[in-house]
Short mmCIF file of all heavy atoms in Angstrom, two decimals:
data_model
loop_
_atom_site.label_atom_id
_atom_site.label_comp_id
_atom_site.label_asym_id
_atom_site.label_seq_id
_atom_site.Cartn_x
_atom_site.Cartn_y
_atom_site.Cartn_z
N PRO A 550 21.32 -29.27 -11.92
CA PRO A 550 21.95 -30.17 -12.90
C PRO A 550 22.29 -31.52 -12.26
O PRO A 550 22.80 -31.57 -11.14
CB PRO A 550 23.22 -29.40 -13.30
CG PRO A 550 23.50 -28.49 -12.15
CD PRO A 550 22.18 -28.15 -11.54
N ILE A 551 21.98 -32.59 -12.95
CA ILE A 551 22.26 -33.94 -12.44
C ILE A 551 23.50 -34.51 -13.13
O ILE A 551 24.41 -35.02 -12.48
CB ILE A 551 21.06 -34.86 -12.65
CG1 ILE A 551 19.83 -34.26 -11.98
CG2 ILE A 551 21.33 -36.26 -12.09
CD1 ILE A 551 19.97 -34.04 -10.49
N TRP A 552 23.53 -34.44 -14.45
CA TRP A 552 24.73 -34.80 -15.18
C TRP A 552 24.75 -34.04 -16.49
O TRP A 552 23.74 -33.50 -16.94
CB TRP A 552 24.82 -36.31 -15.42
CG TRP A 552 23.76 -36.87 -16.34
CD1 TRP A 552 23.64 -36.72 -17.67
CD2 TRP A 552 22.66 -37.69 -15.94
NE1 TRP A 552 22.55 -37.36 -18.15
CE2 TRP A 552 21.93 -37.99 -17.12
CE3 TRP A 552 22.23 -38.21 -14.72
CZ2 TRP A 552 20.79 -38.76 -17.09
CZ3 TRP A 552 21.10 -39.00 -14.72
CH2 TRP A 552 20.38 -39.26 -15.87
N GLY A 553 25.92 -34.00 -17.08
CA GLY A 553 26.09 -33.29 -18.34
C GLY A 553 26.20 -31.79 -18.13
O GLY A 553 26.12 -31.27 -17.01
N LYS A 554 26.37 -31.06 -19.21
CA LYS A 554 26.50 -29.62 -19.18
C LYS A 554 25.35 -28.97 -19.92
O LYS A 554 24.81 -29.53 -20.87
CB LYS A 554 27.84 -29.19 -19.80
CG LYS A 554 29.05 -29.67 -19.02
CD LYS A 554 30.33 -29.13 -19.63
CE LYS A 554 31.54 -29.59 -18.83
NZ LYS A 554 32.81 -29.08 -19.42
N ALA A 555 25.01 -27.78 -19.51
CA ALA A 555 23.85 -27.09 -20.07
C ALA A 555 24.02 -26.82 -21.55
O ALA A 555 23.05 -26.84 -22.31
CB ALA A 555 23.60 -25.78 -19.32
N GLU A 556 25.31 -26.59 -22.01
CA GLU A 556 25.48 -26.27 -23.42
C GLU A 556 25.25 -27.48 -24.33
O GLU A 556 25.04 -27.35 -25.52
CB GLU A 556 26.88 -25.67 -23.67
CG GLU A 556 28.02 -26.55 -23.17
CD GLU A 556 28.43 -26.17 -21.74
OE1 GLU A 556 27.61 -25.53 -21.05
OE2 GLU A 556 29.57 -26.49 -21.36
N ASN A 557 25.30 -28.65 -23.77
CA ASN A 557 25.02 -29.87 -24.53
C ASN A 557 23.68 -30.43 -24.04
O ASN A 557 23.62 -31.34 -23.22
CB ASN A 557 26.13 -30.89 -24.32
CG ASN A 557 26.01 -32.06 -25.31
OD1 ASN A 557 24.99 -32.18 -26.00
ND2 ASN A 557 27.03 -32.90 -25.35
N GLU A 558 22.61 -29.86 -24.55
CA GLU A 558 21.29 -30.17 -24.03
C GLU A 558 20.91 -31.64 -24.23
O GLU A 558 20.16 -32.21 -23.44
CB GLU A 558 20.24 -29.27 -24.68
CG GLU A 558 20.43 -27.80 -24.34
CD GLU A 558 19.35 -26.94 -24.96
OE1 GLU A 558 18.49 -27.50 -25.68
OE2 GLU A 558 19.38 -25.72 -24.74
N LYS A 559 21.38 -32.27 -25.30
CA LYS A 559 21.00 -33.65 -25.57
C LYS A 559 21.56 -34.61 -24.53
O LYS A 559 20.96 -35.64 -24.23
CB LYS A 559 21.45 -34.05 -26.98
CG LYS A 559 20.73 -33.30 -28.09
CD LYS A 559 21.15 -33.81 -29.45
CE LYS A 559 20.39 -33.07 -30.56
NZ LYS A 559 20.79 -33.57 -31.91
N GLU A 560 22.74 -34.32 -23.99
CA GLU A 560 23.36 -35.20 -23.02
C GLU A 560 23.11 -34.75 -21.58
O GLU A 560 23.29 -35.53 -20.66
CB GLU A 560 24.87 -35.28 -23.27
CG GLU A 560 25.22 -35.85 -24.64
CD GLU A 560 26.71 -35.94 -24.87
OE1 GLU A 560 27.45 -35.58 -23.92
OE2 GLU A 560 27.13 -36.36 -25.96
N ALA A 561 22.67 -33.52 -21.38
CA ALA A 561 22.47 -33.00 -20.03
C ALA A 561 21.13 -33.47 -19.48
O ALA A 561 20.17 -33.71 -20.22
CB ALA A 561 22.52 -31.48 -20.05
N PHE A 562 21.10 -33.64 -18.15
CA PHE A 562 19.86 -33.99 -17.46
C PHE A 562 19.72 -33.07 -16.25
O PHE A 562 20.56 -33.08 -15.35
CB PHE A 562 19.86 -35.45 -17.02
CG PHE A 562 18.58 -35.86 -16.34
CD1 PHE A 562 17.49 -36.25 -17.10
CD2 PHE A 562 18.47 -35.84 -14.97
CE1 PHE A 562 16.31 -36.62 -16.50
CE2 PHE A 562 17.29 -36.20 -14.35
CZ PHE A 562 16.20 -36.60 -15.11
N ASN A 563 18.68 -32.27 -16.25
CA ASN A 563 18.44 -31.32 -15.16
C ASN A 563 17.09 -31.60 -14.52
O ASN A 563 16.18 -32.15 -15.16
CB ASN A 563 18.45 -29.88 -15.66
CG ASN A 563 19.81 -29.47 -16.20
OD1 ASN A 563 20.84 -30.00 -15.79
ND2 ASN A 563 19.79 -28.55 -17.16
N ILE A 564 16.97 -31.21 -13.28
CA ILE A 564 15.67 -31.16 -12.61
C ILE A 564 15.29 -29.69 -12.50
O ILE A 564 16.00 -28.89 -11.89
CB ILE A 564 15.73 -31.80 -11.21
CG1 ILE A 564 16.12 -33.27 -11.30
CG2 ILE A 564 14.37 -31.67 -10.52
CD1 ILE A 564 16.25 -33.94 -9.96
N THR A 565 14.19 -29.35 -13.14
CA THR A 565 13.69 -27.98 -13.09
C THR A 565 12.67 -27.84 -11.96
O THR A 565 11.78 -28.68 -11.83
CB THR A 565 13.05 -27.58 -14.43
OG1 THR A 565 14.02 -27.70 -15.47
CG2 THR A 565 12.52 -26.16 -14.38
N HIS A 566 12.82 -26.79 -11.18
CA HIS A 566 11.97 -26.58 -10.01
C HIS A 566 11.11 -25.33 -10.19
O HIS A 566 11.59 -24.30 -10.69
CB HIS A 566 12.81 -26.40 -8.74
CG HIS A 566 13.75 -27.53 -8.47
ND1 HIS A 566 13.48 -28.55 -7.60
CD2 HIS A 566 14.99 -27.79 -8.97
CE1 HIS A 566 14.49 -29.39 -7.55
NE2 HIS A 566 15.43 -28.95 -8.38
N GLN A 567 9.88 -25.45 -9.80
CA GLN A 567 9.00 -24.31 -9.64
C GLN A 567 8.43 -24.37 -8.23
O GLN A 567 7.76 -25.36 -7.87
CB GLN A 567 7.86 -24.32 -10.66
CG GLN A 567 8.27 -24.13 -12.11
CD GLN A 567 7.10 -24.23 -13.05
OE1 GLN A 567 6.28 -25.13 -12.93
NE2 GLN A 567 7.01 -23.30 -13.98
N VAL A 568 8.69 -23.34 -7.46
CA VAL A 568 8.26 -23.32 -6.06
C VAL A 568 7.37 -22.11 -5.85
O VAL A 568 7.71 -20.99 -6.24
CB VAL A 568 9.46 -23.27 -5.09
CG1 VAL A 568 8.99 -23.18 -3.65
CG2 VAL A 568 10.35 -24.50 -5.29
N ASP A 569 6.23 -22.35 -5.24
CA ASP A 569 5.30 -21.27 -4.86
C ASP A 569 4.97 -21.48 -3.38
O ASP A 569 4.28 -22.44 -3.02
CB ASP A 569 4.03 -21.34 -5.70
CG ASP A 569 3.15 -20.10 -5.53
OD1 ASP A 569 3.26 -19.44 -4.49
OD2 ASP A 569 2.34 -19.82 -6.44
N LEU A 570 5.48 -20.60 -2.53
CA LEU A 570 5.22 -20.73 -1.11
C LEU A 570 4.80 -19.38 -0.55
O LEU A 570 5.17 -18.32 -1.07
CB LEU A 570 6.45 -21.25 -0.36
CG LEU A 570 7.64 -20.30 -0.14
CD1 LEU A 570 8.48 -20.77 1.01
CD2 LEU A 570 8.46 -20.20 -1.41
N GLY A 571 4.00 -19.43 0.50
CA GLY A 571 3.53 -18.19 1.08
C GLY A 571 2.54 -18.44 2.19
O GLY A 571 2.45 -19.56 2.74
N VAL A 572 1.78 -17.43 2.49
CA VAL A 572 0.78 -17.52 3.55
C VAL A 572 -0.44 -16.72 3.13
O VAL A 572 -0.33 -15.67 2.48
CB VAL A 572 1.35 -17.00 4.89
CG1 VAL A 572 1.72 -15.53 4.80
CG2 VAL A 572 0.37 -17.25 6.03
N GLU A 573 -1.60 -17.24 3.46
CA GLU A 573 -2.87 -16.57 3.19
C GLU A 573 -3.63 -16.42 4.50
O GLU A 573 -3.69 -17.35 5.30
CB GLU A 573 -3.70 -17.36 2.18
CG GLU A 573 -4.99 -16.68 1.78
CD GLU A 573 -5.68 -17.37 0.61
OE1 GLU A 573 -5.19 -18.44 0.18
OE2 GLU A 573 -6.70 -16.84 0.11
N TRP A 574 -4.17 -15.25 4.73
CA TRP A 574 -5.03 -15.05 5.89
C TRP A 574 -6.34 -14.41 5.45
O TRP A 574 -6.40 -13.72 4.43
CB TRP A 574 -4.35 -14.19 6.97
CG TRP A 574 -4.03 -12.77 6.54
CD1 TRP A 574 -2.85 -12.30 6.07
CD2 TRP A 574 -4.93 -11.65 6.56
NE1 TRP A 574 -2.94 -10.96 5.78
CE2 TRP A 574 -4.20 -10.53 6.08
CE3 TRP A 574 -6.26 -11.48 6.94
CZ2 TRP A 574 -4.79 -9.26 5.96
CZ3 TRP A 574 -6.83 -10.22 6.82
CH2 TRP A 574 -6.10 -9.13 6.35
N SER A 575 -7.37 -14.67 6.20
CA SER A 575 -8.67 -14.09 5.88
C SER A 575 -9.45 -13.84 7.16
O SER A 575 -9.22 -14.49 8.19
CB SER A 575 -9.47 -15.00 4.94
OG SER A 575 -9.78 -16.22 5.58
N PHE A 576 -10.36 -12.90 7.08
CA PHE A 576 -11.28 -12.61 8.17
C PHE A 576 -12.67 -12.46 7.57
O PHE A 576 -12.84 -11.82 6.54
CB PHE A 576 -10.90 -11.31 8.90
CG PHE A 576 -11.90 -10.90 9.95
CD1 PHE A 576 -11.91 -11.53 11.19
CD2 PHE A 576 -12.84 -9.92 9.70
CE1 PHE A 576 -12.84 -11.17 12.16
CE2 PHE A 576 -13.76 -9.54 10.66
CZ PHE A 576 -13.77 -10.17 11.90
N GLU A 577 -13.65 -13.07 8.22
CA GLU A 577 -15.02 -12.99 7.73
C GLU A 577 -15.97 -12.68 8.88
O GLU A 577 -15.86 -13.24 9.96
CB GLU A 577 -15.43 -14.30 7.06
CG GLU A 577 -16.82 -14.22 6.43
CD GLU A 577 -17.14 -15.42 5.57
OE1 GLU A 577 -16.21 -15.92 4.88
OE2 GLU A 577 -18.29 -15.87 5.57
N ARG A 578 -16.90 -11.78 8.60
CA ARG A 578 -17.90 -11.37 9.59
C ARG A 578 -19.28 -11.63 9.00
O ARG A 578 -19.60 -11.20 7.90
CB ARG A 578 -17.74 -9.87 9.90
CG ARG A 578 -18.76 -9.34 10.89
CD ARG A 578 -18.45 -9.79 12.31
NE ARG A 578 -19.35 -9.17 13.28
CZ ARG A 578 -20.51 -9.73 13.68
NH1 ARG A 578 -20.89 -10.90 13.19
NH2 ARG A 578 -21.26 -9.12 14.56
N ASN A 579 -20.10 -12.37 9.76
CA ASN A 579 -21.45 -12.72 9.30
C ASN A 579 -22.47 -12.43 10.39
O ASN A 579 -22.30 -12.86 11.53
CB ASN A 579 -21.54 -14.21 8.96
CG ASN A 579 -20.58 -14.63 7.87
OD1 ASN A 579 -19.43 -14.96 8.13
ND2 ASN A 579 -21.04 -14.62 6.64
N LEU A 580 -23.49 -11.68 10.02
CA LEU A 580 -24.66 -11.50 10.87
C LEU A 580 -25.86 -11.81 10.00
O LEU A 580 -26.29 -11.00 9.18
CB LEU A 580 -24.75 -10.08 11.42
CG LEU A 580 -25.98 -9.77 12.29
CD1 LEU A 580 -26.05 -10.70 13.49
CD2 LEU A 580 -25.97 -8.31 12.74
N ASP A 581 -26.39 -13.03 10.14
CA ASP A 581 -27.41 -13.54 9.23
C ASP A 581 -28.66 -13.91 10.00
O ASP A 581 -28.60 -14.67 10.99
CB ASP A 581 -26.89 -14.78 8.49
CG ASP A 581 -25.61 -14.52 7.72
OD1 ASP A 581 -25.27 -13.34 7.51
OD2 ASP A 581 -24.94 -15.49 7.34
#
Side-chain angles (χ1 to χ4, degrees):
I551 303 301
W552 66 72
K554 295 184 179 180
E556 54 267 20
N557 191 350
E558 295 182 359
K559 293 184 178 180
E560 298 181 2
F562 182 84
N563 296 332
I564 299 177
T565 300
H566 304 262
Q567 293 177 314
V568 177
D569 191 336
L570 74 159
V572 63
E573 184 171 5
W574 63 263
S575 65
F576 175 78
E577 185 170 323
R578 178 74 174 92
N579 300 87
L580 178 58
D581 303 344

